[in-house]
Structure formats: structure tokens, C-alpha cells
Amino acid sequence: MKSKSKLSLSVFFFIFFLYLAAVTSDLESDRQALVVLRNSVRGRPLLWNMSASPCTWHGVHCDAGRVTELRLPGSGLFGSLPVGGIGNLTELQTLSLRFNSLSGPIPSDFSNLVLLRYLYLQGNSFSGEIPSFLFTLPNIIRINLGENNLSGPIPDNVNSATRLATLYLERNQLTGPIPEITITLQQFNVSSNQLNGSIPDSLSGFPQAAFQGNSLCGKPLNPCDATAESPNSPPGPSPGKKDSDKLSAGAIAGIVIACVVVLLVLLFILFCLCRKRKKEENVPSRNIEAPVVAPTSAAAIPRETAGNVPPAKAESGAVNKDLTFFVKSFGEFDLDGLLKASAEVLGKGTVGSSYKASFDHGLVVAVKRLRDVVVPEKDFRERLQVLGSMSHANLVTLIAYYFSRDEKLLVFEYMSRGSLSALLHGNKGSGRTQLNWETRAGIALGAARAISYLHSRDSTTSHGNIKSSNILLSDSYEAKVSDYGLAPIISSTSAPNRIDGYRAPEVTDARKISQKADVYSFGVLILELLTALQGNLQHISN
Ligand SMILES: *[C@@H]1O[C@H](CO)[C@@H](O)[C@H](O)[C@H]1NC(C)=O
Ligand SMILES: *[C@@H]1O[C@H](CO)[C@@H](O)[C@H](O)[C@H]1NC(C)=O
Ligand SMILES: *[C@@H]1O[C@H](CO)[C@@H](O)[C@H](O)[C@H]1NC(C)=O
Ligand SMILES: *[C@@H]1O[C@H](CO)[C@@H](O)[C@H](O)[C@H]1NC(C)=O
Ligand SMILES: *[C@@H]1O[C@H](CO)[C@@H](O)[C@H](O)[C@H]1NC(C)=O
């Protein structure tokens, strides 16, 4: 009896150790793969502590003892990715290497990454063709290969990726036609390539900006010229063309009559629309109460929502009840839902107060109540359309807005780590320890990228209110710039003196801002990042 139980005990331990060995050896192979990666890429060294577990390394996230996420965005990495590196991280679900200077092909062993869901490689110099195996990865949801040097065709097996929602390929050297796409993509961009041929019908609902900078034709761009030899375009009336050159008097009369009828119909529609508009304006605007202030437990938002990559703008201007949405990927809600969500005051800024609104179903958003909006509704909406069309990894995503006479609300993605200002000067000791030099440099770089993006939109676009409390931080301490482009619609008198430390000396009216003034404010921000060691830097802002 006794020997039997001893035996079973030892069998148990044997199996247990086998299991332990299996787990550790898997993590060991993940470690080796990461070391291969580290030794191959040049540039800023990856300061990984070799005597510690890879799960503690910067940019590496583990789940159940395996590496599931590798995020090294904007880390100054050079060189090409090795085979036997990332491709050996077989449990990887998220790979973000965006905005580095990586070159060479996308490694062939990425085909081993069968659990990969999110692939962000935009903003590098990857070259070669887009490997078709990316679309046979069974779990892939987002592929962002924008702003690289990829050439060749778009693989024609895109439809194999049945879960794919995002495909960004803009600013590459891709050639050939866009393949027929039957899966339902939510986000798509192939602008600034060398694609030709006609746009498949299934993609005609995406905005023009998603296709511009190619030789493409068809909805939403100009219709394909029927005489051009486009294999995809429907056959034009070329055979009977000779006959139709000479139009009979009857045909001309028919065309004239048709034109007149169309014109009348258009006028009628216009008339109806105007009347409807008038009616809407007469409806008394709803009086909205401030969101109820009730403390909520800080509901953890799912990582995807916290946003690694900005979800591209869905069709802008889609009105959901009273809110105007720019981005639908965060989830659907309406104004009533928003007002019923439990809210918590986040702070009072120069443009208004911010709240954290948590919905019952787990969605968390940040709501900004604008104060002292000085422009009429039309200008406000125009401005918001511009802001809503902006999309950058280092800008806080504007999800929706609401406008009525008494209330102007902006809905942003919620950033759980709060603002840089709070982190630098706050008295929560726990947060500050995270801010080592590498993180600070990353934050400065991220903010600079966002500002440069704003400035590149056009020469008059500027942020207008750069300061540490407008630099929010994502889960991975990436800078997310908020409150961009609001200065022109807010009364200048409402800006308290507090921002004066950041304001360029020549700026006397807070609404007359310039890109140069942004650069000045950014300089002050850098100074603050460099000097704010243990909190208190109030003298800078006074
Ligand atoms: C990567 O995986 C391959 C095949 O499993 C193996 O031969 C190779 O040694 C691995 N490389 C590393 C660095 O672990
Ligand atoms: C590296 O990790 C080991 C073990 O966790 C630790 O003792 C050591 O202090 C770490 N070194 C550095 C430079 O952080
Ligand atoms: C892009 O790739 C082409 C070859 O495909 C190469 O000649 C060119 O130098 C590359 N450009 C950049 C910026 O890497
Ligand atoms: C697209 O371009 C390629 C070469 O650049 C050419 O061979 C092909 O005929 C073009 N297709 C269309 C539809 O214009
Ligand atoms: C597509 O990318 C281009 C940059 O090449 C950008 O200007 C445009 O706004 C993007 N369009 C969409 C719909 O994302």
C-alpha cells in the first residue's frame, strides 16, 4: 500500500517536472528568439536585462509564461528582421514595430505566427513584396503596412483572412490592380501607391482619400474610361461607337428633356432638404445636464480599445442620434447612453472639464465639455470635421461630438495613465518611478510626431495649446496628444494664465496661434521633461 502511494507520488512529480520543463523550455525558446532579434537590429540598443525573465523586458508582454506581445514602436531600430527571431515567438498575438527604420523583407517565418492578431509595421522601410501568407494567418485582424517601401502586387488571397478588419497599405510602391475583396473590411487605405485598374465594388464605400495617389478609377473616384483597356472595367459601348457619333435630332431632344427633368428633381430635393433643416433648427435644443458625478471603479478597458494604433476614421459624419461619430470601432452608444454612463471628473482644462464615462458594457471614454465656444454652429461643425479626420498613433482619437446651443461635448478615447503633467508633478509616487530617461525620450518623440503630423496637414493647422497636461499616456507610456486644434473655436479670454509659461512671447491672442508658437511650447515641454525630476516645476508654468 505504502509503496503504491509513493509510486503514484513520484509519477505525479515526474509529470509535474516534465510539464515545468516544457513551459520553461518554451519561454526559453522565446528568449532565444528575442535575443536573435536584438542581435540583428542595429540602432538604439534594446536595454534588456539578460539575467531576468524576458517577460520583464521593455516592450515584451507575457501571458501564461509565453511571450504574447512585442511592442517596440518608435524605438529607433535599424536593419532587417532576422529569420528565427520574431518568427519563433509562436504564441505571439500582437506585434508592433511601427515607426522604426527597419528595412528588408518581412521575414518568411512570420508564417509560423498562427496566433497573431495585430500586426503593426507601418512607418518603416520594409521592401519586397507583401507575403501572401499574412492573409492565411487564421487569427489576423489588423494589418498595417503603411508608409513602407513594399512593391509588387497586393496578394490576391486577401479574402483568406476571414477575420481581417483593417488593411492599411498606404504610401508604398505597390503595383497592379486591387484584387476583388469579398470580406468586410472596416478600415482600408491604399493611397499613394502605383496601383492601377478599377476599384472593386465592395470597396466603393470607402472615402476617396483611401485610394488617392494611384492610377485607379471607379467609385468613389472618377468613373473608369470605357475606352481604356482595363480588364476589370465593364465593357464600354465601343463596338457601336461609330453610329453614336452622329446624334439624331430626336436623341438631342431626348437628352435636353432628360436634363431638364433631372434639374427639376434636384431643385425639388434641395427644397425639401432646406425645409427639413429649418424644421430641425426650430426644435428646441435639449437641455443637457452635466454627467452625473459618481465614483466608479476604474473599469479596465480592453487593451485593443486602449489603442495601440489609431483606428482609422470610419465614414465621417454618420449621425447616431444626436452624437456625430467619426470612429465606430470603439463601440456604439448614443447621447442618452452617454449621459447615463457613470461619470467621474478627470479635471478642468483650459477648454473645459473632462469626465471619464464608463458604460455598463465595459466601454470607457473620455468626455470633454467645452466652455466658451465662440463660433457659430456651422463653423464649429466644420472645425470638428477637420479634427475628426485626423488620425495618428500619437493623437488621442476623437470618437464623436455633440453640439447644441447649451452643450458642446467631445468624446475621446480614454487614456488610463492620465496626463504627463500629473505623472511628472503628481504626488503618486508609484507612477513617477516609471518615467526613466528612455520613457521620457519616447514621450518627447511621440509628442513631436503628433505635432509634426498636425503641421503637415496644412500650413495653418497647429495645436495651439501644447503643455504637459495635454500629453496623455497610453498603457505602454506612449505619448497621445489631446486638445489639438481647439484654440480657434474657444474664446481667448477663457484661457487662464497657467498656460502662459508655454505660450510663445509673440502670441498675444490665444486664438491667433501659429506652428512656430507650437514649436516654442514644445521646447518648454522638453525642458519640463528634462528637468522635472521629483515633481515640482511650478515655476516653469508661472
Ligand atoms: C527557431 O525555430 C526553428 C524551428 O523550430 C529552430 O530550428 C531554430 O533553432 C529556432 N531558433 C531559435 C533562435 O530558437
Ligand atoms: C537584472 O535582473 C536581475 C535578476 O532579476 C537583477 O538582480 C539585476 O539587478 C538586474 N539588473 C539590472 C541592471 O536591472
Ligand atoms: C525602395 O526599394 C527600391 C527597390 O525596390 C530601392 O531601389 C529604393 O532605394 C528603396 N527606397 C528606400 C527609401 O528604401
Ligand atoms: C497596370 O500597369 C501595368 C504595368 O505598369 C500594365 O501592364 C497594366 O496593363 C496596367 N493595367 C491597367 C488596367 O491599366
Ligand atoms: C489614407 O492615407 C493617406 C496618407 O497616404 C491619408 O492622407 C488619408 O487620409 C488616408 N485615408 C483614410 C480613409 O484613412
Side-chain angles (χ1 to χ4, degrees):
M1 232 25 187
K2 215 169 184 190
S3 68
K4 202 173 177 190
S5 75
K6 229 179 198 169
L7 188 74
S8 64
L9 205 70
S10 54
V11 165
F12 169 79
F13 271 112
F14 179 70
I15 291 176
F16 178 76
F17 280 119
L18 258 189
Y19 169 80
L20 208 69
V23 166
T24 47
S25 83
D26 282 347
L27 186 59
E28 192 48 38
S29 81
D30 282 355
R31 170 202 289 275
Q32 278 166 16
L34 287 168
V35 170
V36 168
L37 171 71
R38 190 184 76 146
N39 294 345
S40 313
V41 295
R42 287 169 284 128
R44 194 168 351 127
L46 293 165
L47 300 171
W48 288 340
N49 182 350
M50 285 301 131
S51 46
S53 154
C55 298
T56 64
W57 294 352
H58 173 74
V60 178
H61 179 88
C62 293
D63 221 351
R66 295 296 307 274
V67 174
T68 56
E69 289 181 19
L70 179 62
R71 295 173 191 261
L72 295 168
S75 304
L77 306 177
F78 277 92
S80 54
L81 294 178
V83 170
I86 292 170
N88 276 28
L89 299 172
T90 47
E91 299 277 316
L92 200 63
Q93 293 175 15
T94 303
L95 175 62
S96 172
L97 296 174
R98 59 205 164 93
F99 300 112
N100 283 291
S101 303
L102 295 166
S103 52
I106 296 172
S108 56
D109 62 354
F110 273 25
S111 56
N112 299 338
L113 304 176
V114 288
L115 297 181
L116 194 67
R117 293 149 66 95
Y118 306 106
L119 178 63
Y120 305 120
L121 298 179
Q122 69 268 35
N124 284 286
S125 302
F126 285 113
S127 56
E129 297 199 357
I130 300 175
S132 58
F133 60 71
L134 287 186
F135 300 101
T136 55
L137 298 177
N139 290 296
I140 195 81
I141 296 174
R142 296 192 206 288
I143 295 182
N144 194 335
L145 303 175
E147 300 179 56
N148 276 295
N149 192 13
L150 296 165
S151 52
I154 300 177
D156 52 15
N157 67 338
V158 172
N159 297 320
S160 316
T162 49
R163 299 181 64 189
L164 193 67
T166 304
L167 182 59
Y168 281 152
L169 303 173
E170 70 270 15
R171 303 221 224 158
N172 279 291
Q173 316 283 338
L174 301 173
T175 51
I178 303 179
E180 199 61 50
I181 288 182
T182 52
I183 50 175
T184 340
L185 292 173
Q186 282 158 17
Q187 300 171 336
F188 181 77
N189 199 341
V190 291
S191 62
S192 304
N193 281 288
Q194 287 139 35
L195 299 168
N196 62 7
S198 64
I199 297 171
D201 278 344
S202 54
L203 300 176
S204 59
F206 287 99
Q208 290 187 351
F211 301 99
Q212 255 146 12
N214 290 290
S215 313
L216 293 165
C217 62
K219 206 167 170 253
L221 303 178
N222 295 331
C224 293
D225 186 357
T227 54
E229 262 95 349
S230 157
N232 290 348
S233 64
S238 24
K241 209 161 182 276
K242 281 268 156 62
D243 305 334
S244 62
D245 278 352
K246 268 190 192 159
L247 288 172
S248 69
I252 293 177
I255 289 171
V256 169
I257 290 173
C259 285
V260 170
V261 169
V262 166
L263 204 75
L264 282 177
V265 169
L266 275 181
L267 279 177
F268 181 71
I269 291 174
L270 214 68
F271 176 73
C272 287
L273 279 180
C274 285
R275 279 190 54 155
K276 199 165 161 224
R277 200 79 181 272
K278 276 251 171 65
K279 247 188 203 157
E280 270 172 11
E281 272 168 10
N282 289 341
V283 174
S285 66
R286 292 172 53 180
N287 202 353
I288 298 175
E289 282 168 29
V292 199
V293 177
T296 40
S297 65
I301 21 177
R303 288 191 79 88
E304 294 163 34
T305 319
N308 180 306
V309 147
K313 312 298 163 181
E315 291 265 18
S316 47
V319 177
N320 186 355
K321 272 207 177 156
D322 306 347
L323 287 165
T324 307
F325 273 84
F326 297 113
V327 182
K328 281 274 172 73
S329 53
F330 284 83
E332 305 244 341
F333 51 90
D334 56 20
L335 185 65
D336 280 339
L338 184 63
L339 296 181
K340 279 186 197 133
S342 59
E344 194 180 320
V345 182
L346 290 173
K348 242 181 177 162
T350 39
V351 297
S353 316
S354 305
Y355 304 84
K356 167 184 170 185
S358 320
F359 292 87
D360 291 339
H361 56 274
L363 175 67
V364 183
V365 295
V367 180
K368 197 160 269 261
R369 275 181 95 188
L370 295 183
R371 248 189 334 208
D372 305 317
V373 171
V374 286
V375 293
E377 173 167 2
K378 186 167 151 287
D379 294 357
F380 181 88
R381 289 194 188 275
E382 270 172 17
R383 185 76 199 151
L384 263 293
Q385 284 299 331
V386 172
L387 299 185
S389 74
M390 293 181 178
S391 165
H392 189 273
N394 297 107
L395 284 182
V396 176
T397 307
L398 176 59
I399 301 174
Y401 76 92
Y402 170 80
F403 183 99
S404 75
R405 217 183 53 219
D406 311 303
E407 195 76 50
K408 286 102 194 153
L409 302 176
L410 305 186
V411 183
F412 287 100
E413 64 177 315
Y414 174 70
M415 291 289 130
S416 53
R417 299 247 184 239
S419 76
L420 176 61
S421 167
L423 211 60
L424 285 177
H425 312 303
N427 39 20
K428 285 196 197 106
S430 58
R432 222 168 30 229
T433 52
Q434 300 271 11
L435 274 190
N436 54 21
W437 290 118
E438 207 177 331
T439 314
R440 287 179 200 226
I443 291 171
L445 201 62
R449 286 209 172 98
I451 294 164
S452 135
Y453 169 80
L454 289 173
H455 289 185
S456 70
R457 299 284 293 189
D458 76 68
S459 61
T460 57
T461 307
S462 50
H463 184 289
N465 197 1
I466 295 166
K467 53 179 176 170
S468 56
S469 56
N470 279 342
I471 312 290
L472 306 185
L473 298 170
S474 73
D475 272 353
S476 51
Y477 289 96
E478 269 178 88
K480 291 268 200 172
V481 175
S482 78
D483 278 18
Y484 44 94
L486 292 176
I489 57 174
I490 304 289
S491 157
S492 55
T493 54
S494 74
N497 295 333
R498 201 145 34 87
I499 80 154
D500 281 349
Y502 293 93
R503 196 189 283 173
E506 76 273 13
V507 179
T508 48
D509 179 348
R511 292 171 63 198
K512 299 229 167 58
I513 48 171
S514 69
Q515 299 191 342
K516 286 177 182 160
D518 273 359
V519 174
Y520 180 95
S521 309
F522 180 66
V524 178
L525 180 77
I526 298 272
L527 185 63
E528 189 178 355
L529 263 173
L530 281 176
T531 52
L533 282 177
Q534 289 298 325
N536 255 319
L537 194 77
Q538 293 304 326
H539 59 276
I540 281 232
S541 30
N542 285 331

